[in-house]
Amino acid sequence: MTSYAVLGPGGVGGLLAAVLARHGHEVVCLAREETVEHLREDGIRVRSGIFGDFTAAVDAATVLDRSVDACFVATKATSLREALTRLPRPAVGNALVIPLLNGIDHVAMLRRAYDPGSVVAGVIHVESTRVSPGTIEQDSPFARVSLASDTTPAGRIRPVADDLSAAGFEVVTDADETTILWSKLSFLATTALLTTRHRATVGEVRTAHHDELVATARQIAAVSGASGGPSDADAILALVDAFRADGKSSMLRDLENGRPLELDAIGGAVLRAADAHGIPAPTVRSLVAALDGG
């Protein structure tokens, strides 16, 4: 049995915590005091087409106060620095630190904060929402986690991958960290920037803003390729075409609900990489500027 800490029991973190706890692992969720009290009393309720409907008992604390084997970091990028106060380095020790955030810059940040040999790049593909404290709805037909690390031996990652797989996630461990991070960011930045800029669903972006969609995908693919990631714009567009027409990006949902946008972590990361490699990305730059000013 593996022991896990989950920093940020929201849509993603709450789903992970509940599914792992249901499969017999010790799980402690790290959150604000009011959330901690709720989770201790009522656990986490999940409604999911993949994992079923169930309630899992979990422990909870405001700060990590015990030894664990691995820590999932599942906060929003906008609140990461503040949230890390709940995960002090002495308590983490040599436990694996596995971020499942949007963007790419957080991996280097976490390697400065913790043992760099224990930080694993992680990416999750899932539509999962915390509809109320301790209640998670997961409605996508997929739940896939990719894990890779330039600093952590594969043998240390394998037990976590096995636990996730046994719990029902599709798990990928055969790619390098640059590939998994840029593969997610390329699709995410394309959809997030366009849906949020135009307050539109993915289907509306495909039809009403097709030329801008193609330009954005091509520019992001070029930046990704220069950074060592995939460079196939057609692959990004194929993912956008396959996405359900009424789908919305998490950034658009944040805008609609008055929450801070992960604009710097998503669009900003693409532009910083573009500048570093001398790649013009005028459409991406225009979208980020419009969202930053609006």
Side-chain angles (χ1 to χ4, degrees):
M1 180 174 62
T2 311
S3 58
Y4 290 98
V6 177
L7 177 61
V12 168
L15 179 67
L16 281 166
V19 171
L20 288 169
R22 181 174 66 163
H23 280 260
H25 301 288
E26 294 181 355
V27 178
V28 57
C29 294
L30 306 175
R32 294 184 177 91
E33 183 63 43
E34 57 270 25
T35 301
V36 167
E37 293 177 2
H38 185 92
L39 295 181
R40 284 176 174 172
E41 292 179 5
D42 299 327
I44 300 176
R45 296 180 296 277
V46 173
R47 296 193 289 267
S48 167
I50 293 177
F51 302 102
D53 298 350
F54 66 95
T55 299
V58 296
D59 200 354
T62 57
V63 178
L64 184 64
D65 57 2
R66 69 203 72 181
S67 296
V68 294
D69 298 304
C71 307
F72 285 107
V73 179
T75 64
K76 288 281 190 178
T78 51
S79 60
L80 176 60
R81 289 187 182 277
E82 177 188 0
L84 289 182
T85 61
R86 305 187 189 282
L87 203 61
R89 180 165 182 157
V92 173
N94 65 350
L96 292 180
V97 177
I98 307 171
L100 296 171
L101 283 75
N102 293 327
I104 55 175
D105 296 336
H106 58 273
V107 176
M109 174 188 168
L110 290 171
R111 286 184 176 142
R112 292 190 296 269
Y114 303 102
D115 172 18
S118 296
V119 176
V120 177
V123 166
I124 188 165
H125 297 271
V126 69
E127 292 178 51
S128 185
T129 304
R130 189 185 80 156
V131 296
S132 64
T135 301
I136 308 297
E137 289 186 355
Q138 186 275 313
D139 56 3
S140 58
F142 51 84
R144 182 171 69 253
V145 177
S146 298
L147 302 173
S149 178
D150 293 342
T151 62
T152 308
R156 292 194 65 196
I157 301 173
R158 174 49 58 188
V160 175
D162 289 345
D163 287 348
L164 291 171
S165 180
F169 288 92
E170 178 188 353
V171 183
V172 177
T173 59
D174 59 355
D176 63 273
E177 67 174 58
T178 301
T179 296
I180 67 168
L181 290 170
W182 272 102
S183 293
K184 170 91 181 265
L185 181 59
S186 296
F187 169 73
L188 179 63
T190 299
T191 55
L193 294 177
L194 286 163
T195 58
T196 309
R197 172 67 181 91
H198 298 294
R199 278 64 165 176
T201 65
V202 172
E204 290 166 342
V205 165
R206 287 196 299 249
T207 55
H209 306 281
H210 182 263
D211 290 346
E212 193 177 19
L213 168 62
V214 172
T216 302
R218 287 176 176 170
Q219 291 168 26
I220 292 175
V223 175
S224 173
S227 302
S231 59
D232 187 352
D234 288 340
I236 298 174
L237 294 170
L239 289 173
V240 175
D241 286 342
F243 207 80
R244 69 174 193 264
D246 64 347
K248 296 181 179 180
S249 66
S250 59
M251 187 186 289
L252 176 56
R253 293 185 186 279
D254 285 342
L255 179 68
E256 292 174 338
N257 288 284
R259 295 188 290 260
L261 303 186
E262 294 183 299
L263 184 60
D264 184 68
I266 297 173
V270 173
L271 292 181
R272 284 188 289 274
D275 291 341
H277 295 287
I279 296 175
T283 307
V284 177
R285 199 172 301 277
S286 175
L287 289 167
V288 171
L291 290 169
D292 195 31

